[in-house]
Amino acid sequence: MADNETFDVIVVGGGAVGENAADRASRSGLSVALVEHALVGGECSYWACMPSKALLRPGAALAAARAVPGAEAAADVDVSATLARRDEVAAHWDDSGQVSWVESVGLTLLRGHARFTGPRELVLTSEDGEQRVSARHAVIVATGSAAIVPDVDGLAAAKPWTSREATSVRQVPARLVVLGGGVVGVEMATVFADFGSEVTLVVRGDRLLAGAEPFAGEAVATSLESLGVTVLFGAEATAVARDDDGVHVTLGDRTVDADEILVATGRRPRTDDLGLESVGLTPGRPIEVDDTLAATGADGGWLFAVGDVTGRTATTHQGKYDARVVGDVVAARFGSDETLRAAETDAGPWSRYRATADEASVPQVVFSRPEVAWVGHTEASARKAGIDVRVVPYDLANLAGASVLSPDYGGTAQLVLDDARGTIVGATFVGPDVAEMLHAATIAVVGQVPLARLWHAVPAYPTLSEVWLRFGEAAGL
Ligand SMILES: Cc1cc2nc3c(=O)[nH]c(=O)nc-3n(C[C@H](O)[C@H](O)[C@H](O)COP(=O)(O)OP(=O)(O)OC[C@H]3O[C@@H](n4cnc5c(N)ncnc54)[C@H](O)[C@@H]3O)c2cc1C
Protein backbone atom coordinates (compact mmCIF):
# COMPACT_ATOMS: atom_id res chain seq x y z
CA MET A 1 0.00 0.00 0.00
CA ALA A 2 1.24 3.47 -0.85
CA ASP A 3 1.92 5.82 2.04
CA ASN A 4 -0.80 8.40 2.60
CA GLU A 5 -3.36 6.55 0.55
CA THR A 6 -6.77 8.23 0.48
CA PHE A 7 -10.15 6.50 0.60
CA ASP A 8 -13.61 8.05 0.51
CA VAL A 9 -14.44 6.35 3.82
CA ILE A 10 -12.31 4.61 6.47
CA VAL A 11 -13.90 2.25 8.99
CA VAL A 12 -11.74 1.59 12.06
CA GLY A 13 -12.44 -1.82 13.58
CA GLY A 14 -13.34 -4.94 11.63
CA GLY A 15 -15.77 -6.54 14.10
CA ALA A 16 -19.26 -7.56 13.04
CA VAL A 17 -20.41 -3.96 13.32
CA GLY A 18 -17.54 -2.36 11.40
CA GLU A 19 -17.80 -4.97 8.64
CA ASN A 20 -21.49 -4.22 8.15
CA ALA A 21 -21.05 -0.45 8.21
CA ALA A 22 -18.24 -0.68 5.65
CA ASP A 23 -20.22 -2.97 3.36
CA ARG A 24 -23.26 -0.77 3.46
CA ALA A 25 -21.31 2.46 2.84
CA SER A 26 -19.50 0.93 -0.14
CA ARG A 27 -22.68 -0.09 -1.94
CA SER A 28 -23.08 3.40 -3.36
CA GLY A 29 -19.69 3.25 -5.09
CA LEU A 30 -17.63 5.01 -2.41
CA SER A 31 -14.15 3.55 -1.85
CA VAL A 32 -14.04 2.09 1.66
CA ALA A 33 -11.09 0.83 3.71
CA LEU A 34 -11.62 -1.39 6.76
CA VAL A 35 -8.83 -1.25 9.37
CA GLU A 36 -8.30 -4.14 11.78
CA HIS A 37 -5.41 -4.75 14.17
CA ALA A 38 -6.41 -8.30 15.22
CA LEU A 39 -8.93 -10.76 13.75
CA VAL A 40 -11.49 -9.63 11.19
CA GLY A 41 -14.84 -10.59 12.72
CA GLY A 42 -14.05 -9.13 16.15
CA GLU A 43 -15.19 -10.16 19.60
CA CYS A 44 -18.50 -11.76 18.63
CA SER A 45 -16.99 -14.30 16.26
CA TYR A 46 -14.02 -15.47 18.33
CA TRP A 47 -14.50 -14.59 22.04
CA ALA A 48 -18.14 -13.69 22.68
CA CYS A 49 -21.50 -14.57 21.08
CA MET A 50 -20.51 -17.51 18.93
CA PRO A 51 -18.09 -19.48 21.15
CA SER A 52 -20.20 -18.81 24.25
CA LYS A 53 -23.29 -20.20 22.57
CA ALA A 54 -21.30 -23.22 21.33
CA LEU A 55 -20.22 -23.87 24.93
CA LEU A 56 -23.80 -23.53 26.23
CA ARG A 57 -25.63 -25.61 23.64
CA PRO A 58 -24.69 -29.17 24.70
CA GLY A 59 -25.89 -28.58 28.27
CA ALA A 60 -29.14 -27.06 26.99
CA ALA A 61 -29.70 -29.93 24.55
CA LEU A 62 -29.08 -32.51 27.27
CA ALA A 63 -31.42 -30.71 29.66
CA ALA A 64 -34.14 -30.64 26.98
CA ALA A 65 -33.73 -34.37 26.34
CA ARG A 66 -33.70 -35.19 30.05
CA ALA A 67 -36.93 -33.24 30.53
CA VAL A 68 -39.05 -35.49 28.31
CA PRO A 69 -39.94 -39.14 28.98
CA GLY A 70 -38.61 -41.35 26.20
CA ALA A 71 -35.47 -39.33 25.58
CA GLU A 72 -33.83 -39.16 29.00
CA ALA A 73 -30.13 -38.69 28.35
CA ALA A 74 -27.87 -40.21 30.94
CA ALA A 75 -24.53 -38.79 29.91
CA ASP A 76 -23.03 -35.54 31.15
CA VAL A 77 -21.70 -32.88 28.80
CA ASP A 78 -18.72 -34.23 26.86
CA VAL A 79 -16.22 -31.47 27.60
CA SER A 80 -13.61 -32.27 24.97
CA ALA A 81 -16.23 -32.67 22.22
CA THR A 82 -17.82 -29.40 23.30
CA LEU A 83 -14.47 -27.60 23.17
CA ALA A 84 -13.78 -29.10 19.74
CA ARG A 85 -17.15 -27.84 18.48
CA ARG A 86 -16.42 -24.41 20.05
CA ASP A 87 -13.11 -24.36 18.15
CA GLU A 88 -14.97 -24.95 14.90
CA VAL A 89 -17.59 -22.31 15.66
CA ALA A 90 -14.77 -19.83 16.42
CA ALA A 91 -13.19 -20.80 13.06
CA HIS A 92 -10.08 -21.92 15.00
CA TRP A 93 -9.38 -18.18 15.51
CA ASP A 94 -8.50 -17.93 11.82
CA ASP A 95 -10.13 -14.99 10.04
CA SER A 96 -9.45 -16.06 6.45
CA GLY A 97 -13.16 -16.76 5.84
CA GLN A 98 -14.09 -13.25 6.96
CA VAL A 99 -11.23 -11.75 4.94
CA SER A 100 -12.56 -13.49 1.82
CA TRP A 101 -15.97 -11.95 2.46
CA VAL A 102 -14.46 -8.47 2.99
CA GLU A 103 -12.63 -8.76 -0.32
CA SER A 104 -15.67 -10.21 -2.10
CA VAL A 105 -17.76 -7.14 -1.32
CA GLY A 106 -15.06 -4.78 -2.60
CA LEU A 107 -13.66 -3.38 0.65
CA THR A 108 -9.94 -2.73 1.10
CA LEU A 109 -8.65 -4.44 4.24
CA LEU A 110 -5.80 -2.64 6.00
CA ARG A 111 -4.04 -4.47 8.84
CA GLY A 112 -2.76 -2.36 11.70
CA HIS A 113 -3.62 -0.42 14.84
CA ALA A 114 -5.27 2.88 13.88
CA ARG A 115 -4.77 6.18 15.69
CA PHE A 116 -6.08 9.58 14.65
CA THR A 117 -3.47 12.26 13.91
CA GLY A 118 -6.11 14.86 13.04
CA PRO A 119 -9.52 15.19 11.36
CA ARG A 120 -9.92 12.43 8.70
CA GLU A 121 -6.26 11.40 9.13
CA LEU A 122 -4.94 8.24 10.72
CA VAL A 123 -1.67 6.46 11.22
CA LEU A 124 -1.74 2.66 11.14
CA THR A 125 0.90 0.73 13.06
CA SER A 126 1.67 -2.90 12.27
CA GLU A 127 4.69 -5.17 12.31
CA ASP A 128 5.50 -3.76 8.86
CA GLY A 129 5.87 -0.25 10.30
CA GLU A 130 3.74 2.89 10.09
CA GLN A 131 1.36 3.89 7.34
CA ARG A 132 -0.62 7.10 6.92
CA VAL A 133 -4.12 7.04 5.48
CA SER A 134 -6.72 9.76 4.93
CA ALA A 135 -10.45 9.77 4.39
CA ARG A 136 -11.85 12.11 1.74
CA HIS A 137 -15.26 12.23 3.42
CA ALA A 138 -15.82 10.19 6.59
CA VAL A 139 -14.31 7.99 9.28
CA ILE A 140 -16.52 5.47 11.10
CA VAL A 141 -15.10 4.23 14.42
CA ALA A 142 -16.21 0.69 15.35
CA THR A 143 -13.49 -0.34 17.78
CA GLY A 144 -15.82 -2.16 20.20
CA SER A 145 -15.28 -2.65 23.89
CA ALA A 146 -13.04 -4.54 26.31
CA ALA A 147 -13.75 -6.18 29.66
CA ILE A 148 -13.33 -4.01 32.74
CA VAL A 149 -11.03 -5.40 35.42
CA PRO A 150 -12.25 -3.65 38.58
CA ASP A 151 -9.80 -1.89 40.85
CA VAL A 152 -9.77 -4.55 43.57
CA ASP A 153 -6.65 -5.06 45.68
CA GLY A 154 -4.53 -7.84 44.09
CA LEU A 155 -7.02 -8.65 41.31
CA ALA A 156 -4.94 -7.59 38.29
CA ALA A 157 -1.86 -9.35 39.70
CA ALA A 158 -3.89 -12.56 40.16
CA LYS A 159 -4.21 -12.79 36.37
CA PRO A 160 -8.00 -12.97 36.24
CA TRP A 161 -9.88 -14.40 33.30
CA THR A 162 -12.06 -12.07 31.28
CA SER A 163 -14.75 -13.33 28.90
CA ARG A 164 -11.96 -13.97 26.37
CA GLU A 165 -10.20 -16.59 28.50
CA ALA A 166 -13.54 -18.12 29.52
CA THR A 167 -14.86 -18.52 25.98
CA SER A 168 -11.53 -19.80 24.63
CA VAL A 169 -10.89 -22.11 27.63
CA ARG A 170 -8.76 -25.23 27.10
CA GLN A 171 -8.24 -26.44 30.71
CA VAL A 172 -11.44 -26.52 32.74
CA PRO A 173 -10.72 -25.35 36.30
CA ALA A 174 -11.93 -27.54 39.15
CA ARG A 175 -13.08 -24.40 41.00
CA LEU A 176 -14.13 -21.11 39.42
CA VAL A 177 -15.19 -17.83 41.01
CA VAL A 178 -17.22 -15.54 38.77
CA LEU A 179 -17.55 -11.86 39.66
CA GLY A 180 -20.74 -10.33 38.26
CA GLY A 181 -24.36 -11.48 37.86
CA GLY A 182 -25.05 -9.98 34.45
CA VAL A 183 -25.42 -11.78 31.13
CA VAL A 184 -21.78 -12.88 30.81
CA GLY A 185 -21.51 -13.98 34.45
CA VAL A 186 -24.72 -16.01 34.27
CA GLU A 187 -23.91 -17.65 30.93
CA MET A 188 -20.37 -18.57 31.94
CA ALA A 189 -21.47 -19.88 35.37
CA THR A 190 -23.84 -22.18 33.46
CA VAL A 191 -21.10 -23.39 31.09
CA PHE A 192 -18.62 -24.23 33.84
CA ALA A 193 -21.27 -25.87 36.00
CA ASP A 194 -22.07 -28.06 32.97
CA PHE A 195 -18.35 -28.84 32.69
CA GLY A 196 -18.25 -30.03 36.30
CA SER A 197 -16.44 -27.06 37.85
CA GLU A 198 -17.35 -25.98 41.36
CA VAL A 199 -18.67 -22.49 40.58
CA THR A 200 -19.22 -19.57 42.96
CA LEU A 201 -21.07 -16.60 41.48
CA VAL A 202 -20.43 -13.36 43.35
CA VAL A 203 -23.14 -10.75 42.85
CA ARG A 204 -22.94 -7.24 44.31
CA GLY A 205 -26.68 -6.57 44.15
CA ASP A 206 -29.63 -8.62 45.32
CA ARG A 207 -30.55 -10.26 42.01
CA LEU A 208 -29.22 -11.62 38.73
CA LEU A 209 -29.75 -9.93 35.35
CA ALA A 210 -30.55 -6.57 36.89
CA GLY A 211 -31.82 -5.15 33.57
CA ALA A 212 -34.54 -7.81 33.23
CA GLU A 213 -37.78 -8.34 35.11
CA PRO A 214 -37.03 -9.54 38.68
CA PHE A 215 -38.80 -12.89 38.09
CA ALA A 216 -36.27 -13.67 35.34
CA GLY A 217 -33.26 -13.31 37.63
CA GLU A 218 -35.01 -15.32 40.34
CA ALA A 219 -35.68 -18.23 37.96
CA VAL A 220 -32.08 -18.24 36.76
CA ALA A 221 -30.70 -18.11 40.31
CA THR A 222 -32.84 -21.07 41.34
CA SER A 223 -31.73 -23.02 38.30
CA LEU A 224 -28.02 -22.20 38.79
CA GLU A 225 -28.28 -23.39 42.38
CA SER A 226 -29.84 -26.64 41.17
CA LEU A 227 -26.80 -27.04 38.88
CA GLY A 228 -24.61 -26.78 41.98
CA VAL A 229 -23.56 -23.14 41.60
CA THR A 230 -23.17 -21.18 44.83
CA VAL A 231 -24.77 -17.78 44.25
CA LEU A 232 -23.71 -15.11 46.74
CA PHE A 233 -25.84 -11.96 46.67
CA GLY A 234 -24.81 -8.69 48.31
CA ALA A 235 -21.19 -9.85 48.05
CA GLU A 236 -18.23 -7.91 46.75
CA ALA A 237 -14.59 -8.89 46.27
CA THR A 238 -12.41 -6.67 48.45
CA ALA A 239 -9.08 -8.41 47.81
CA VAL A 240 -7.72 -11.19 45.62
CA ALA A 241 -4.47 -13.12 45.93
CA ARG A 242 -2.95 -15.94 43.88
CA ASP A 243 -0.46 -18.49 45.18
CA ASP A 244 0.44 -22.11 44.38
CA ASP A 245 -2.95 -23.27 45.70
CA GLY A 246 -4.93 -21.05 43.37
CA VAL A 247 -6.79 -17.77 43.86
CA HIS A 248 -8.20 -16.59 47.17
CA VAL A 249 -11.02 -14.08 46.92
CA THR A 250 -11.85 -12.04 50.00
CA LEU A 251 -15.52 -11.09 50.21
CA GLY A 252 -15.64 -8.92 53.31
CA ASP A 253 -15.40 -11.34 56.21
CA ARG A 254 -15.18 -14.57 54.19
CA THR A 255 -12.80 -16.03 51.62
CA VAL A 256 -13.57 -18.19 48.62
CA ASP A 257 -10.77 -20.35 47.17
CA ALA A 258 -10.68 -21.29 43.51
CA ASP A 259 -8.38 -22.20 40.67
CA GLU A 260 -9.45 -19.34 38.40
CA ILE A 261 -11.37 -16.10 38.78
CA LEU A 262 -13.49 -14.68 35.95
CA VAL A 263 -14.35 -10.99 35.96
CA ALA A 264 -17.69 -10.28 34.29
CA THR A 265 -18.34 -6.84 35.73
CA GLY A 266 -18.95 -4.82 32.60
CA ARG A 267 -17.15 -3.41 29.58
CA ARG A 268 -15.45 -0.16 28.58
CA PRO A 269 -15.26 1.39 25.10
CA ARG A 270 -11.97 0.81 23.24
CA THR A 271 -11.03 4.46 22.83
CA ASP A 272 -8.00 4.80 25.09
CA ASP A 273 -5.36 4.34 22.36
CA LEU A 274 -7.08 5.85 19.34
CA GLY A 275 -5.61 9.37 19.25
CA LEU A 276 -9.04 10.83 20.01
CA GLU A 277 -7.45 13.88 21.63
CA SER A 278 -6.27 14.96 18.14
CA VAL A 279 -9.90 15.29 17.00
CA GLY A 280 -11.19 17.04 20.11
CA LEU A 281 -12.59 13.99 21.92
CA THR A 282 -11.63 12.42 25.24
CA PRO A 283 -9.74 9.09 25.19
CA GLY A 284 -11.26 6.35 27.31
CA ARG A 285 -14.79 7.71 26.96
CA PRO A 286 -17.52 6.32 24.68
CA ILE A 287 -17.95 8.23 21.42
CA GLU A 288 -21.37 9.78 21.74
CA VAL A 289 -23.52 9.85 18.62
CA ASP A 290 -26.91 11.06 17.40
CA ASP A 291 -29.49 8.88 15.64
CA THR A 292 -27.49 9.08 12.38
CA LEU A 293 -24.46 7.77 14.32
CA ALA A 294 -22.60 11.06 13.75
CA ALA A 295 -20.28 11.90 16.65
CA THR A 296 -21.87 14.78 18.53
CA GLY A 297 -18.58 16.01 20.01
CA ALA A 298 -16.62 16.45 16.75
CA ASP A 299 -16.88 19.35 14.32
CA GLY A 300 -17.26 19.07 10.57
CA GLY A 301 -19.70 16.18 10.17
CA TRP A 302 -17.00 13.69 9.10
CA LEU A 303 -16.75 11.50 12.23
CA PHE A 304 -19.18 8.65 12.96
CA ALA A 305 -19.12 5.82 15.51
CA VAL A 306 -21.08 2.61 15.84
CA GLY A 307 -21.35 -0.50 17.99
CA ASP A 308 -20.07 -1.07 21.51
CA VAL A 309 -17.68 1.90 21.27
CA THR A 310 -20.62 4.30 21.44
CA GLY A 311 -21.97 2.96 24.73
CA ARG A 312 -25.33 3.12 22.99
CA THR A 313 -25.53 -0.58 22.13
CA ALA A 314 -24.03 -3.67 23.77
CA THR A 315 -25.13 -6.47 21.47
CA THR A 316 -24.15 -7.56 18.02
CA HIS A 317 -27.67 -7.40 16.63
CA GLN A 318 -28.26 -3.84 17.78
CA GLY A 319 -24.78 -2.76 16.70
CA LYS A 320 -25.36 -4.24 13.24
CA TYR A 321 -28.68 -2.41 13.02
CA ASP A 322 -26.83 0.84 13.72
CA ALA A 323 -24.16 -0.24 11.23
CA ARG A 324 -26.73 -0.46 8.47
CA VAL A 325 -27.99 2.99 9.40
CA VAL A 326 -24.56 4.63 9.48
CA GLY A 327 -23.51 2.92 6.25
CA ASP A 328 -26.61 4.23 4.49
CA VAL A 329 -26.22 7.71 5.99
CA VAL A 330 -22.59 7.94 4.84
CA ALA A 331 -23.46 6.59 1.39
CA ALA A 332 -26.26 9.15 1.02
CA ARG A 333 -24.36 12.14 2.39
CA PHE A 334 -21.09 11.56 0.56
CA GLY A 335 -22.03 9.48 -2.50
CA SER A 336 -23.09 10.95 -5.82
CA ASP A 337 -26.70 9.72 -5.83
CA GLU A 338 -28.97 12.76 -5.39
CA THR A 339 -32.02 10.57 -4.72
CA LEU A 340 -30.30 8.96 -1.71
CA ARG A 341 -29.17 12.38 -0.48
CA ALA A 342 -32.71 13.74 -0.63
CA ALA A 343 -34.10 10.66 1.14
CA GLU A 344 -31.54 10.99 3.94
CA THR A 345 -32.22 14.70 4.36
CA ASP A 346 -35.98 14.13 4.61
CA ALA A 347 -35.65 11.08 6.87
CA GLY A 348 -38.32 10.60 9.52
CA PRO A 349 -38.27 8.27 12.52
CA TRP A 350 -39.29 5.20 10.49
CA SER A 351 -36.63 5.79 7.89
CA ARG A 352 -33.65 3.46 7.47
CA TYR A 353 -31.47 6.56 7.90
CA ARG A 354 -32.30 6.96 11.62
CA ALA A 355 -31.45 4.44 14.37
CA THR A 356 -34.64 4.87 16.33
CA ALA A 357 -34.82 1.24 17.53
CA ASP A 358 -32.07 1.87 20.10
CA GLU A 359 -34.53 3.24 22.62
CA ALA A 360 -37.79 1.45 23.41
CA SER A 361 -37.50 -1.76 21.41
CA VAL A 362 -34.14 -3.39 22.16
CA PRO A 363 -34.26 -7.21 22.24
CA GLN A 364 -31.98 -9.22 24.54
CA VAL A 365 -31.59 -12.96 24.97
CA VAL A 366 -29.67 -14.67 27.76
CA PHE A 367 -28.86 -18.28 26.94
CA SER A 368 -29.07 -19.36 30.55
CA ARG A 369 -31.22 -22.29 31.68
CA PRO A 370 -34.04 -21.26 31.66
CA GLU A 371 -33.52 -18.92 28.71
CA VAL A 372 -34.45 -15.31 29.35
CA ALA A 373 -35.62 -13.12 26.48
CA TRP A 374 -37.02 -9.63 26.67
CA VAL A 375 -37.70 -6.64 24.49
CA GLY A 376 -38.59 -3.04 25.21
CA HIS A 377 -39.72 -1.94 28.63
CA THR A 378 -39.79 -3.88 31.85
CA GLU A 379 -42.62 -2.93 34.17
CA ALA A 380 -40.23 -0.76 36.20
CA SER A 381 -38.67 1.02 33.21
CA ALA A 382 -42.11 1.70 31.70
CA ARG A 383 -43.33 3.24 34.94
CA LYS A 384 -40.14 5.30 35.13
CA ALA A 385 -40.81 6.51 31.58
CA GLY A 386 -44.20 7.77 32.78
CA ILE A 387 -46.27 5.18 30.92
CA ASP A 388 -49.60 4.22 32.46
CA VAL A 389 -48.76 0.54 32.67
CA ARG A 390 -50.83 -2.62 32.72
CA VAL A 391 -48.97 -5.89 33.30
CA VAL A 392 -50.21 -9.22 31.89
CA PRO A 393 -48.34 -12.25 33.30
CA TYR A 394 -48.86 -15.82 32.15
CA ASP A 395 -47.64 -19.20 33.39
CA LEU A 396 -46.20 -20.94 30.31
CA ALA A 397 -46.61 -24.38 31.94
CA ASN A 398 -50.36 -24.14 31.19
CA LEU A 399 -49.77 -24.26 27.44
CA ALA A 400 -50.24 -27.46 25.46
CA GLY A 401 -47.03 -26.57 23.61
CA ALA A 402 -45.13 -26.54 26.89
CA SER A 403 -46.41 -29.97 27.88
CA VAL A 404 -45.16 -31.31 24.55
CA LEU A 405 -41.66 -30.13 25.42
CA SER A 406 -41.79 -31.53 28.93
CA PRO A 407 -44.39 -32.61 31.49
CA ASP A 408 -42.38 -30.55 33.97
CA TYR A 409 -41.98 -27.45 31.80
CA GLY A 410 -41.54 -24.33 33.93
CA GLY A 411 -41.66 -20.81 32.56
CA THR A 412 -43.27 -17.40 32.78
CA ALA A 413 -44.11 -14.72 30.25
CA GLN A 414 -45.20 -11.17 30.85
CA LEU A 415 -46.45 -8.35 28.67
CA VAL A 416 -46.21 -4.70 29.63
CA LEU A 417 -49.03 -2.73 28.02
CA ASP A 418 -49.45 0.98 27.60
CA ASP A 419 -52.88 0.93 29.20
CA ALA A 420 -54.09 4.11 27.57
CA ARG A 421 -53.27 2.94 24.05
CA GLY A 422 -53.61 -0.82 24.54
CA THR A 423 -50.26 -1.32 22.80
CA ILE A 424 -47.41 -3.59 23.85
CA VAL A 425 -44.36 -1.69 25.11
CA GLY A 426 -42.44 -4.62 26.57
CA ALA A 427 -42.40 -8.40 26.83
CA THR A 428 -40.37 -10.93 28.81
CA PHE A 429 -40.20 -14.69 28.35
CA VAL A 430 -38.47 -17.03 30.79
CA GLY A 431 -38.31 -20.77 30.16
CA PRO A 432 -36.78 -23.47 27.98
CA ASP A 433 -36.83 -22.63 24.25
CA VAL A 434 -38.25 -19.12 24.62
CA ALA A 435 -35.47 -17.30 22.73
CA GLU A 436 -37.11 -17.90 19.37
CA MET A 437 -40.40 -16.47 20.69
CA LEU A 438 -38.92 -13.04 21.18
CA HIS A 439 -39.12 -11.69 17.67
CA ALA A 440 -42.92 -11.83 17.55
CA ALA A 441 -42.90 -9.53 20.57
CA THR A 442 -40.27 -7.28 18.99
CA ILE A 443 -42.47 -6.85 15.93
CA ALA A 444 -45.46 -6.01 18.13
CA VAL A 445 -43.46 -3.45 20.14
CA VAL A 446 -41.87 -1.79 17.09
CA GLY A 447 -45.19 -1.83 15.22
CA GLN A 448 -46.99 -0.40 18.29
CA VAL A 449 -49.61 -3.08 17.74
CA PRO A 450 -52.65 -3.01 20.05
CA LEU A 451 -53.09 -6.36 21.83
CA ALA A 452 -56.71 -6.40 20.61
CA ARG A 453 -55.45 -6.53 17.03
CA LEU A 454 -53.24 -9.51 17.86
CA TRP A 455 -56.38 -11.44 18.83
CA HIS A 456 -56.61 -12.09 15.08
CA ALA A 457 -53.03 -13.37 14.81
CA VAL A 458 -53.78 -17.04 15.44
CA PRO A 459 -50.89 -19.02 16.94
CA ALA A 460 -50.42 -22.64 15.85
CA TYR A 461 -51.42 -25.44 18.22
CA PRO A 462 -49.59 -26.86 20.15
CA THR A 463 -46.77 -24.28 20.31
CA LEU A 464 -45.46 -21.98 23.03
CA SER A 465 -46.65 -19.10 20.85
CA GLU A 466 -50.17 -19.81 22.06
CA VAL A 467 -49.15 -17.59 24.93
CA TRP A 468 -50.30 -14.70 22.69
CA LEU A 469 -53.84 -16.06 22.79
CA ARG A 470 -53.63 -16.42 26.57
CA PHE A 471 -52.29 -12.88 26.90
CA GLY A 472 -55.40 -11.68 25.09
CA GLU A 473 -57.70 -13.72 27.34
CA ALA A 474 -55.85 -12.58 30.48
CA ALA A 475 -56.24 -8.98 29.32
CA GLY A 476 -60.01 -9.49 29.04
CA LEU A 477 -60.41 -9.75 25.26
C1 LIG B 1 -19.02 -13.33 26.49
C2 LIG B 1 -19.87 -12.46 25.61
C3 LIG B 1 -20.97 -13.01 24.97
C4 LIG B 1 -21.76 -12.21 24.16
N1 LIG B 1 -22.83 -12.80 23.56
C5 LIG B 1 -23.60 -12.07 22.73
C6 LIG B 1 -24.71 -12.67 22.06
O1 LIG B 1 -25.01 -13.85 22.23
N2 LIG B 1 -25.43 -11.89 21.22
C7 LIG B 1 -25.13 -10.56 21.01
O2 LIG B 1 -25.83 -9.91 20.22
N3 LIG B 1 -24.09 -9.97 21.63
C8 LIG B 1 -23.32 -10.68 22.48
N4 LIG B 1 -22.24 -10.10 23.09
C9 LIG B 1 -21.92 -8.68 22.78
C10 LIG B 1 -21.17 -8.59 21.43
O3 LIG B 1 -20.02 -9.43 21.48
C11 LIG B 1 -20.73 -7.16 21.14
O4 LIG B 1 -21.86 -6.31 21.26
C12 LIG B 1 -20.17 -7.05 19.73
O5 LIG B 1 -19.03 -7.86 19.58
C13 LIG B 1 -19.79 -5.60 19.42
O6 LIG B 1 -19.31 -5.53 18.12
P1 LIG B 1 -18.35 -4.34 17.66
O7 LIG B 1 -18.06 -4.60 16.21
O8 LIG B 1 -18.90 -3.05 18.09
O9 LIG B 1 -17.01 -4.56 18.51
P2 LIG B 1 -15.93 -5.74 18.46
O10 LIG B 1 -16.55 -7.02 18.12
O11 LIG B 1 -15.16 -5.62 19.73
O12 LIG B 1 -15.00 -5.33 17.24
C14 LIG B 1 -14.13 -4.24 17.30
C15 LIG B 1 -12.94 -4.54 16.42
O13 LIG B 1 -12.10 -3.38 16.37
C16 LIG B 1 -10.74 -3.79 16.41
N5 LIG B 1 -9.98 -2.62 16.90
C17 LIG B 1 -10.11 -2.03 18.11
N6 LIG B 1 -9.31 -0.93 18.17
C18 LIG B 1 -8.67 -0.85 16.98
C19 LIG B 1 -7.73 0.06 16.43
N7 LIG B 1 -7.33 1.14 17.12
N8 LIG B 1 -7.27 -0.17 15.19
C20 LIG B 1 -7.68 -1.25 14.47
N9 LIG B 1 -8.58 -2.14 14.93
C21 LIG B 1 -9.09 -1.93 16.17
C22 LIG B 1 -10.77 -4.98 17.37
O14 LIG B 1 -9.63 -5.81 17.19
C23 LIG B 1 -12.07 -5.67 16.97
O15 LIG B 1 -11.87 -6.63 15.96
C24 LIG B 1 -21.45 -10.85 23.95
C25 LIG B 1 -20.34 -10.29 24.59
C26 LIG B 1 -19.56 -11.07 25.41
C27 LIG B 1 -18.36 -10.45 26.07
Side-chain angles (χ1 to χ4, degrees):
M1 188 185 78
D3 199 18
N4 227 346
E5 199 170 350
T6 301
F7 298 87
D8 289 328
V9 179
I10 297 174
V11 179
V12 181
V17 176
E19 285 181 301
N20 275 268
D23 174 37
R24 206 76 196 181
S26 73
R27 290 183 190 193
S28 61
L30 294 170
S31 64
V32 180
L34 181 66
V35 186
E36 174 54 56
H37 68 188
L39 293 179
V40 178
E43 211 70 19
C44 184
S45 305
Y46 308 103
W47 298 284
C49 331
M50 294 311 291
S52 65
K53 267 76 255 180
L55 294 172
L56 284 156
R57 183 61 198 155
L62 270 178
R66 284 189 181 128
V68 60
E72 297 100 330
D76 286 331
V77 168
D78 179 336
V79 176
S80 60
T82 303
L83 297 185
R85 163 107 181 102
R86 181 276 320 273
D87 292 354
E88 263 175 44
V89 168
H92 299 273
W93 293 272
D94 171 355
D95 67 359
S96 48
Q98 304 250 5
V99 171
S100 301
W101 176 82
V102 165
E103 289 167 353
S104 75
V105 295
L107 305 173
T108 302
L109 176 62
L110 305 176
R111 298 279 191 181
H113 180 85
R115 284 184 199 85
F116 285 101
T117 52
R120 297 198 303 276
E121 293 186 348
L122 295 148
V123 63
L124 312 187
T125 309
S126 70
E127 56 193 21
D128 298 331
E130 288 199 344
Q131 193 79 53
R132 288 178 186 281
V133 287
S134 316
R136 215 168 272 119
H137 301 301
V139 178
I140 304 173
V141 178
T143 51
S145 62
I148 292 171
V149 176
D151 187 17
V152 172
D153 183 26
L155 179 58
K159 295 196 169 43
W161 281 5
T162 67
S163 48
R164 281 196 165 204
E165 287 74 24
T167 53
S168 59
V169 63
R170 300 234 159 266
Q171 298 289 334
V172 174
R175 301 165 302 169
L176 177 69
V177 171
V178 181
L179 301 186
V183 179
V184 174
V186 159
E187 289 190 347
M188 289 301 114
T190 307
V191 165
F192 285 92
D194 282 346
F195 285 178
S197 302
E198 187 183 308
V199 180
T200 306
L201 182 58
V202 178
V203 186
R204 192 157 53 175
D206 60 0
R207 63 183 169 115
L208 300 178
L209 304 174
E213 295 285 4
F215 68 82
E218 283 161 22
V220 173
T222 304
S223 146
L224 282 173
E225 280 162 356
S226 75
L227 292 176
V229 175
T230 303
V231 185
L232 302 176
F233 290 107
E236 197 166 353
T238 48
V240 179
R242 185 184 280 277
D243 60 21
D244 291 346
D245 297 328
V247 283
H248 310 285
V249 185
T250 307
L251 307 169
D253 54 5
R254 66 182 284 188
T255 301
V256 176
D257 302 317
D259 300 294
E260 299 293 350
I261 178 167
L262 164 63
V263 287
T265 50
R267 300 184 67 80
R268 59 178 174 79
R270 277 203 208 98
T271 57
D272 41 356
D273 189 19
L274 201 52
L276 280 187
E277 60 284 1
S278 70
V279 297
L281 297 178
T282 311
R285 309 256 324 135
I287 301 179
E288 287 179 19
V289 292
D290 62 19
D291 282 350
T292 68
L293 288 310
T296 50
D299 295 332
W302 61 274
L303 182 63
F304 297 79
V306 65
D308 280 16
V309 74
T310 62
R312 173 183 170 113
T313 64
T315 57
T316 297
H317 46 267
Q318 212 66 24
K320 281 164 68 173
Y321 161 76
D322 283 2
R324 294 190 286 273
V325 172
V326 71
D328 287 354
V329 166
V330 164
R333 286 188 190 170
F334 305 109
S336 55
D337 188 327
E338 291 302 331
T339 316
L340 292 184
R341 199 174 344 272
E344 196 278 313
T345 307
D346 294 342
W350 291 104
S351 143
R352 66 185 169 93
Y353 297 101
R354 297 292 178 273
T356 47
D358 284 343
E359 282 156 28
S361 53
V362 176
Q364 172 86 55
V365 173
V366 188
F367 290 82
S368 44
R369 292 208 302 277
E371 290 174 349
V372 175
W374 76 96
V375 60
H377 280 295
T378 59
E379 179 182 356
S381 75
R383 289 193 194 286
K384 201 167 162 199
I387 299 170
D388 185 11
V389 166
R390 179 163 175 215
V391 173
V392 185
Y394 190 76
D395 181 350
L396 292 173
N398 294 330
L399 297 170
S403 70
V404 170
L405 294 178
S406 168
D408 301 319
Y409 189 98
T412 309
Q414 181 169 290
L415 283 190
V416 180
L417 299 178
D418 177 332
D419 204 20
R421 302 173 68 208
T423 53
I424 300 159
V425 294
T428 298
F429 304 89
V430 179
D433 290 328
V434 297
E436 294 293 345
M437 293 173 71
L438 186 63
H439 198 58
T442 305
I443 291 169
V445 172
V446 172
Q448 301 178 9
V449 185
L451 185 59
R453 183 69 190 266
L454 287 178
W455 188 247
H456 303 280
V458 182
Y461 179 86
T463 63
L464 291 177
S465 292
E466 277 202 306
V467 68
W468 289 97
L469 187 57
R470 305 296 171 224
F471 280 145
E473 288 168 349
L477 295 179

